[in-house]
Amino acid sequence: MSDMDPRDELVTHLPALRAFALSLTRNRATADDMMQDTVLKAWTNMDKFTPGTNMRAWLFTILRNNFYTSRRKLNREVADVDNVFSDTLSVKPEHDGRLQMSDFKKALNQLPDEQREALILVGASGFAYEEAAEMCGVATGTIKSRVNRARAKLTELLQLEDDDVLELTDSATTAVVGSPGLPA
Amino acid sequence: MASKQDPKNAQIDAYIDQNLKKVFAELQTGDLPDEITDLLSVLRAQDQEAKDSK
């Protein structure tokens, strides 16, 4: 990536940036607006990006700062949500895992923004706790706490401590697509 | 809070992470919105124009 023109590199991160925007806003129109602002800011401030550092983290930081600034202006915790997680399911239905994934998305949707964000950054995007903390402008311990609380909430909502559920999820792959013991 | 040494909690964490990755991967699929591709075209054209004028 180091030899690539940073503007070309920016384009390679757009699918992930959009996924992050969608998971944060849960609204396609808002996500696209946030993304447009982020691309414009990043492109016109490319001289502020340090080559060799993590561009994805830089882009995600710009986007999440836009999101929280906008949310503060609107003075509300929850923006208009258009079930973006459910929409993806209806577009790409899965076989046996469909109902379980639907439950998972509903549970994810119920998390507070900060907890969902921390979980997405660490659990889905692969950022280290330290990187996520820097991106969110908080201490590493705060990110760890948010991730732990998010996991605990999902565990509760999906009743994952139920022995019957766990017995049927003996590998990560099986757990994703075929654990029929999950509650409907 | 969940101990990483506990196999049951590790299994729950693995379940959650795998589903998160799957959701995030789904959200990455599909074409970029037209507004974004249009914006990129405009920005590239502006850059080229600036380069040409030097």
Side-chain angles (χ1 to χ4, degrees), chain A residues 71-118:
Chain A
R71 199 185 69 171
R72 271 196 299 275
K73 280 181 187 166
L74 292 170
N75 195 28
R76 57 184 174 180
E77 164 76 11
V78 181
D80 295 331
V81 173
D82 66 5
N83 295 320
V84 66
F85 295 137
S86 307
D87 286 353
T88 59
L89 185 74
S90 65
V91 171
K92 292 184 69 179
E94 296 170 44
H95 40 90
D96 296 340
R98 184 169 61 175
L99 289 178
Q100 289 74 29
M101 186 53 79
S102 174
D103 288 337
F104 184 83
K105 289 171 178 177
K106 281 180 194 161
L108 188 60
N109 211 25
Q110 290 181 48
L111 296 178
D113 290 342
E114 281 84 357
Q115 288 181 24
R116 193 175 57 260
E117 174 188 49

Side-chain angles (χ1 to χ4, degrees), chain A:
Chain A
M1 283 291 184
S2 57
D3 291 338
M4 191 185 279
D5 182 306
R7 287 178 174 81
D8 291 335
E9 186 187 342
L10 180 150
V11 175
T12 69
H13 294 298
L14 292 183
L17 186 67
R18 183 149 195 259
F20 183 55
L22 287 167
S23 63
L24 206 54
T25 64
R26 293 165 293 154
N27 178 292
R28 288 182 191 285
T30 309
D32 290 347
D33 285 348
M34 295 281 165
M35 201 177 158
Q36 216 170 336
D37 286 349
T38 302
V39 169
L40 188 58
K41 275 186 188 167
W43 195 283
T44 53
N45 289 282
M46 197 56 85
D47 56 324
K48 294 192 176 81
F49 172 70
T50 309
T53 59
N54 191 330
M55 183 179 281
R56 183 168 295 191
W58 185 60
L59 294 170
F60 277 29
T61 303
I62 295 172
L63 189 137
R64 55 99 48 203
N65 287 346
N66 276 351
F67 171 71
Y68 286 106
T69 300
S70 165
R71 199 185 69 171
R72 271 196 299 275
K73 280 181 187 166
L74 292 170
N75 195 28
R76 57 184 174 180
E77 164 76 11
V78 181
D80 295 331
V81 173
D82 66 5
N83 295 320
V84 66
F85 295 137
S86 307
D87 286 353
T88 59
L89 185 74
S90 65
V91 171
K92 292 184 69 179
E94 296 170 44
H95 40 90
D96 296 340
R98 184 169 61 175
L99 289 178
Q100 289 74 29
M101 186 53 79
S102 174
D103 288 337
F104 184 83
K105 289 171 178 177
K106 281 180 194 161
L108 188 60
N109 211 25
Q110 290 181 48
L111 296 178
D113 290 342
E114 281 84 357
Q115 288 181 24
R116 193 175 57 260
E117 174 188 49
L119 201 53
I120 289 285
L121 290 174
V122 173
S125 304
F127 288 108
Y129 284 113
E130 292 76 11
E131 290 174 312
E134 195 177 335
M135 292 161 71
C136 297
V138 297
T140 303
T142 303
I143 287 294
K144 285 183 180 172
S145 168
R146 286 176 186 174
V147 169
N148 286 339
R149 276 184 280 141
R151 286 192 201 281
K153 186 67 179 172
L154 289 179
T155 301
E156 178 196 328
L157 289 170
L158 295 167
Q159 300 174 28
L160 296 177
E161 288 195 330
D162 184 332
D163 285 337
D164 292 340
V165 174
L166 284 178
E167 281 172 13
L168 293 163
T169 57
D170 59 348
S171 77
T173 303
T174 303
V176 173
V177 296
S179 53
L182 279 173

Side-chain angles (χ1 to χ4, degrees), chain A residues 7-8 11 18 32 43 88 94 101 104-105 119 123 151 155 161 163 166 169-170 172 175-176 182, chain B residues 1 8 11-13 15-22 24 26-28 33 36 39-40 43-44 47:
Chain A
R7 287 178 174 81
D8 291 335
V11 175
R18 183 149 195 259
D32 290 347
W43 195 283
T88 59
E94 296 170 44
M101 186 53 79
F104 184 83
K105 289 171 178 177
L119 201 53
R151 286 192 201 281
T155 301
E161 288 195 330
D163 285 337
L166 284 178
T169 57
D170 59 348
V176 173
L182 279 173
Chain B
M1 199 37 66
K8 190 171 180 177
Q11 197 175 13
I12 289 173
D13 284 354
Y15 171 85
I16 289 173
D17 283 355
Q18 289 295 326
N19 278 284
L20 278 173
K21 287 185 172 80
K22 197 169 179 65
F24 200 72
E26 273 186 24
L27 292 175
Q28 289 191 60
I36 300 298
L39 175 63
L40 287 171
L43 291 169
R44 286 195 189 284
D47 281 1

